[in-house]
Amino acid sequence: IWVLTGDRQETAINIGYSCKLIQEDFSLIICNESTHWETKEFLQKKLDAIREGRGSNIDLESLALIIDGRSLDFALEKDVEVLFLELATLCRAVICCRVSPLQKALVVKLVKRRRKAILLAIGDGANDVSMIQAAHVGVGISGQEGLQAARSADFAIAQFRYLRKLLLVHGAWSYHRLSKMILFSFYKNITLYITQFWFAIFNVFSGQTVYESWSITFYTVFFTVMPPFAIGVFDQFLNARSLDRYPEMYKMGQKGVFFNVRSFWGWAVNAFYHSLILFFLGTALLFDDAESDGMVGGQWVYGVIIYTAVLTTVLLKAALITNMWTKWTVLAIPGSLILWFAFLPIYSIVAPKFRTSTEYEGILGHIYANPRFWLISALLPVLCMVRDYGYKFLKRMYFTKPYHIVQEIQKFNIPDYRPRMERFKKAVHKARLLQRLRRTRGYAFSQTEGGQEKVIRAYDTTMQKPSGY
């Protein structure tokens, strides 16, 4: 954690102590040099000392670097910035005091350029605007300093303490929702269009599609557009209280648990697997599609049946990955399937009359009266989901992640011992702090023998002070 402030050095250090960024037992590396070469020599000397003492008597967790604005000017020069950054990253905390708005931006850009890390900058005044805009994520505090920082930031909060909820709760929700939404969007499109690829093999890649053209368009525009929105806006894999109580859940975003190359290809392969079942097993069940009167349904009846099975499978997959059901989720997932069943008869009657599309003309009787339509629409999606449900069960039971445990604690309302442990740790920390203060406590002036010590001991506080007359 870096603190970039325009306050003077003593004030900045006191702020560090008050917000517990630095502790009483920290070793402070204070850089107050006046020339370029002195700054470079100081940083090199401290860096060499840390490297030599690493693993012995130097605790990197108790180091803090304090540097003033004048020394920071020299530290940001080309031949010194690497030394400065390496020394700073070895410390637990860095406080840059008496810095200008330009220096704040330069420090952020230095770390951004030299380190592969996501930087978050938070400020409350106009002098923090350059720093906020230079970072990957900018957070502005709207308060007594004005609204300049809030207006130029990606996120705005009213008080600094709200940063905890912004990161731990809304940050974790946003990462999880966006990961699922992106992966599901790829999955639903791959599942539909790979079935067309399998169909192209049978028609010798003639360009003939298995689905009617407007149905393909409406698949993305109407029938599968609401589930990604519902997942990306309303889904919660943990509630706000659990995420605030267990900050370790935030690390899943840093480690890329939900969204990575492996998960993307896992979803893609799963979509291929579902398309295989839907197309080939559906084709096998519809291979002899002769009806009781000797008539056959034809290509478009076949395409509507496969299309319905694909849509049902995709919506069941959305239901399986949804952690929190709201009224909007119900409207999005079951509602999309109801929308398709309401759309099909209306479109097959209205479109041929207006000559918009004649492919679905007269197919209603061959669909709704065909028992294979209902069998395939119910059986194939269930067969696809058996593998997914089994994988989810094995992952939760035998390859458990930390958030699985927290989900069960949340679901069954299991009491947590951690609040008592936290109170115990705070009490121990307070006791040790008082012990250190007693060891270092003394008089405000000199205690040398023969000095003012005799005067202090000779002063009798029980006697009345002279009136001054």
Side-chain angles (χ1 to χ4, degrees), residues 442-448 451-461:
Y443 293 105
F445 22 99
S446 175
Q447 299 296 308
T448 57
Q452 295 182 353
E453 184 184 13
K454 293 182 179 180
V455 178
I456 295 170
R457 293 179 177 175
Y459 185 76
D460 190 355
T461 58

Side-chain angles (χ1 to χ4, degrees), residues 47-63 90:
L47 186 59
D48 294 339
I50 292 174
R51 287 172 177 171
E52 293 174 0
R54 183 183 292 182
S56 57
N57 59 345
I58 293 182
D59 183 13
L60 297 181
E61 292 297 318
S62 63
L63 288 178
L90 289 175

Side-chain angles (χ1 to χ4, degrees), residues 407-424:
Q407 283 177 339
E408 295 195 10
I409 293 174
Q410 174 183 304
K411 179 177 178 59
F412 299 107
N413 198 19
I414 300 174
D416 190 5
Y417 72 93
R418 288 173 20 128
R420 288 176 290 173
M421 289 296 296
E422 289 174 359
R423 288 196 295 268
F424 175 73

Side-chain angles (χ1 to χ4, degrees), residues 8-58:
R8 54 196 183 90
Q9 186 170 293
E10 294 78 7
T11 306
I13 294 175
N14 290 333
I15 292 173
Y17 280 119
S18 63
C19 68
K20 298 182 180 179
L21 178 65
I22 53 179
Q23 304 291 341
E24 289 79 6
D25 56 345
F26 273 29
S27 299
L28 303 183
I29 303 174
I30 301 177
C31 181
N32 292 328
E33 305 300 331
S34 56
T35 64
H36 170 89
W37 300 109
E38 289 177 357
T39 304
K40 184 176 182 179
E41 183 181 358
F42 176 86
L43 296 175
Q44 185 67 58
K45 180 180 177 181
K46 294 297 180 182
L47 186 59
D48 294 339
I50 292 174
R51 287 172 177 171
E52 293 174 0
R54 183 183 292 182
S56 57
N57 59 345
I58 293 182

Side-chain angles (χ1 to χ4, degrees), residues 164-184:
R164 177 185 176 92
K165 188 173 183 180
L166 177 65
L167 292 178
L168 300 185
V169 178
H170 295 286
W173 280 347
S174 179
Y175 167 70
H176 178 260
R177 290 166 178 169
L178 290 176
S179 300
K180 274 191 175 179
M181 185 187 71
I182 294 171
L183 294 172
F184 177 76

